[in-house]
Amino acid sequence: NTENPRKITVTEDMTLTAEFTIDQYQITLESNGNGSVTGSGTYDYGTKITIEAIANKGYHFEKWSDDNTENPRTITVTEDINLTAEFAIDQYQVTLKSNGNGSVTGSGTYDYGTEITIEAIADKGYHFEKWSDGNIENPRTITVTENITISAEFAIDQYQVTLESNGNGSVTGSGTYYYGTEITIEATANENYHFVRWSDGNTENPRIIIVTEDMNLTAEFAIDQYQVT
């Protein structure tokens, strides 16, 4: 008989035993969509169980919906429980550096999986060579999946100074030079000739120039003239 309370009419001696069974409760676990949970089920009253939230790649567990932050977490079952695991996207730091001859853009904190563009901007007289991981793209697109520190490597520009003669003398100073180098160029006339000017109109000889670009100059010579009186 399952009546309780139960009415009986006494007509004879009776011995009855009340049979009890342990309560069972439902543990329902859910996720906010960026991970999974383990531990849902039906459990006897007083059972100690472990529940766990497992984040998807690029995410991390933050808390349960009751604000508890333990994970894994042990609970004692005393009632029906419904909990949601809350996950948040991972964030990573992108740190960009320069070897001192230019600047970089793109440093910052980004969500996992964000596609960003980084760029190295050379100072005047320098050029970008490569990133410290060997990549030579610039600008460069990267997908953020971890903390990254990359340095931009710049190198000084080199320029060609080409000196020529119109045929009546020689020149010195031709060569390849770093940006900003101060060099001396000189035109030496053949016998019975004299230097007139450089092809850019400058008449200094020897002449000091600062290399900032490729240069091509010709020394112009003229035959000497004499007065017969």
Side-chain angles (χ1 to χ4, degrees):
N1 189 291
T2 58
E3 290 177 74
N4 185 45
R6 172 184 175 188
K7 286 183 180 181
I8 58 174
T9 302
V10 180
T11 60
E12 60 184 343
D13 291 336
M14 299 178 72
T15 300
L16 295 173
T17 299
E19 298 177 5
F20 299 93
T21 187
I22 196 164
D23 291 337
Q24 288 189 314
Y25 294 101
Q26 185 65 36
I27 305 299
T28 304
L29 303 178
E30 298 175 336
S31 160
N32 68 353
N34 299 306
S36 58
V37 287
T38 61
S40 292
T42 302
Y43 298 94
D44 291 344
Y45 175 89
T47 303
K48 277 190 175 182
I49 65 169
T50 298
I51 63 175
E52 187 171 6
I54 304 160
N56 291 343
K57 186 172 182 181
Y59 290 81
H60 61 275
F61 171 77
E62 281 206 322
K63 63 180 181 179
W64 299 98
S65 50
D66 63 355
D67 290 331
N68 187 293
T69 58
E70 291 178 73
N71 187 47
R73 172 183 176 186
T74 300
I75 58 176
T76 301
V77 179
T78 58
E79 61 185 342
D80 289 334
I81 297 175
N82 193 313
L83 292 173
T84 300
E86 299 179 9
F87 300 94
I89 196 165
D90 293 337
Q91 289 191 313
Y92 294 103
Q93 185 67 35
V94 176
T95 303
L96 302 178
K97 298 178 179 179
S98 161
N99 69 353
N101 300 305
S103 58
V104 287
T105 62
S107 292
T109 303
Y110 299 94
D111 289 345
Y112 174 88
T114 303
E115 195 173 83
I116 66 169
T117 298
I118 63 176
E119 186 171 6
I121 303 161
D123 289 342
K124 187 173 182 181
Y126 290 81
H127 61 276
F128 170 78
E129 279 205 323
K130 63 179 180 178
W131 299 100
S132 51
D133 62 357
N135 189 292
I136 59 173
E137 291 178 73
N138 187 47
R140 172 184 176 188
T141 300
I142 58 176
T143 301
V144 179
T145 59
E146 61 185 344
N147 290 325
I148 300 173
T149 298
I150 303 177
S151 293
E153 298 179 9
F154 300 95
I156 195 166
D157 292 337
Q158 287 187 313
Y159 295 103
Q160 185 65 38
V161 176
T162 303
L163 303 178
E164 298 174 336
S165 161
N166 68 352
N168 298 305
S170 59
V171 287
T172 58
S174 291
T176 302
Y177 299 95
Y178 290 128
Y179 175 88
T181 303
E182 190 176 88
I183 65 170
T184 299
I185 62 175
E186 187 171 5
T188 305
N190 291 343
E191 189 175 1
N192 297 319
Y193 286 83
H194 60 276
F195 171 77
V196 177
R197 63 173 179 258
W198 298 99
S199 51
D200 63 354
N202 188 292
T203 58
E204 291 179 71
N205 186 46
R207 174 184 174 186
I208 295 173
I209 58 175
I210 296 174
V211 179
T212 58
E213 59 185 347
D214 290 332
M215 299 180 73
N216 195 313
L217 294 172
T218 300
E220 299 178 7
F221 300 95
I223 195 166
D224 293 339
Q225 289 188 320
Y226 297 100
Q227 183 68 36
V228 177
T229 303

